[in-house]
Amino acid sequence: MTDQGDLRTRAVQRLKAKQHFWSALITWVVLSAMFIVIWLATGMGGFWPVWPIAGIAVGVAFTGIRAFGPVNTGPNEEQIQSEMRRLS
C-alpha cells in the first residue's frame, strides 16, 4: 500500500511532466512555423522543413506519452514480498 507522501511525490512528478509536455508542444509549433517561414523566404525548393518538424515531433510525442500515458507505479508490496521469498 502506498503512503500519502509517495502519492504526493508521484502526483507532483506527473503534473511537472504535463507542464513540460505543453511547453514542448508550444516550442514545436513555434519552431515549425519558423522553419516554414524560412523555407518560404528562401525560394521554396523541396519541402525540407518536414525533417526538423518530424524529428522534433517524435520528441514531443514521447514527452506526451510520459505525461499522459499509463502510470507506472512499479512493483507492489505483494510482488516484492513474493520475490524476496523466492530469493531466500
Side-chain angles (χ1 to χ4, degrees):
M1 185 166 182
T2 26
D3 63 348
Q4 287 293 60
D6 182 42
L7 188 59
R8 177 177 169 68
T9 301
R10 289 187 317 168
V12 168
Q13 289 173 344
R14 186 84 165 183
L15 288 170
K16 285 181 180 180
K18 288 178 181 181
Q19 288 175 336
H20 183 239
F21 167 75
W22 290 113
S23 174
L25 183 64
I26 290 168
T27 301
W28 175 75
V29 168
V30 170
L31 286 174
S32 296
M34 183 185 75
F35 291 138
I36 292 171
V37 167
I38 291 170
W39 174 73
L40 289 170
T42 58
M44 299 186 308
F47 190 67
W48 59 263
V50 70
W51 301 111
I53 289 170
I56 297 168
V58 169
V60 173
F62 279 111
T63 303
I65 290 168
R66 180 171 178 251
F68 295 100
V71 178
N72 182 7
T73 59
N76 62 30
E77 189 60 33
E78 182 182 327
Q79 292 169 325
I80 293 168
Q81 293 299 323
S82 172
E83 188 64 21
M84 288 172 61
R85 282 191 299 277
R86 203 170 317 160
L87 291 173
S88 60

